[in-house]
Amino acid sequence: MKLNFSIAKDDMSAAGTASSSFKKSLLQLGINPVIVKKAVISLYEAEINMVIHGGGGDVDIEITPELATMVISDKGPGIADIDLAMQEGYTTATDSIREMGFGAGMGLPNIKRNSDSLEIKSKPGEGTTVIIKVKLA
């Protein structure tokens, strides 16, 4: 099964659209709810990051009986220091984003914690691609 979503820049109301649809699909497939929760948390965090930092982008998901692979791609400014961005509490979110309750610097650490595999490809000025894999069986 394949799912595809486009998420608009700065549209906080659209963030969560892909993860909500993904959750419904996994539950309809009979995937263990504990695994569903981990997969959905991972995707939601990536969606929020894409809207806040990446100027929107695309979410492509492939679901097989064994694995969910989520590819989140944006054309944003990129991540200059991925190791620094992976540190809990590190954020480049604006004050207005933090006032809305986002941008606490937990997105990437939460993705890593809830996924079986996390790969980040990013270059300053060229955007970011995040590849998340969660074992379903």
Side-chain angles (χ1 to χ4, degrees):
M1 172 185 296
K2 293 188 179 189
L3 305 170
N4 307 91
F5 304 90
S6 289
I7 309 295
K9 175 183 179 178
D10 298 327
D11 187 355
M12 292 302 287
S13 66
T17 302
S19 53
S20 178
S21 179
F22 179 49
K23 178 180 180 178
K24 289 176 188 173
S25 295
L26 292 176
L27 291 172
Q28 287 173 348
L29 292 169
I31 303 301
N32 180 324
V34 173
I35 295 171
V36 171
K37 182 178 179 180
K38 292 176 72 165
V40 171
I41 287 170
S42 296
L43 182 56
Y44 180 76
E45 293 285 9
E47 281 184 89
I48 292 294
N49 280 351
M50 182 172 52
V51 170
I52 292 173
H53 304 289
D58 297 305
V59 176
D60 297 297
I61 303 168
E62 183 174 357
I63 303 168
T64 69
E66 298 83 26
L67 187 69
T69 302
M70 299 155 267
V71 180
I72 301 90
S73 303
D74 68 49
K75 301 287 187 217
I79 302 171
D81 187 336
I82 293 172
D83 289 334
L84 181 60
M86 289 298 300
Q87 292 181 18
E88 290 188 11
Y90 176 79
T91 185
T92 59
T94 64
D95 288 340
S96 62
I97 293 295
R98 287 195 292 267
E99 287 170 7
M100 288 190 288
F102 299 99
M106 293 303 296
L108 292 175
N110 280 339
I111 295 169
K112 184 174 182 176
R113 188 173 9 268
N114 284 286
S115 66
D116 292 300
S117 171
L118 170 61
E119 181 181 357
I120 302 170
K121 299 176 184 179
S122 187
K123 289 186 181 178
E126 296 184 21
T128 301
T129 299
V130 176
I131 303 166
I132 304 165
K133 295 182 180 182
V134 176
K135 294 176 186 174
L136 302 178

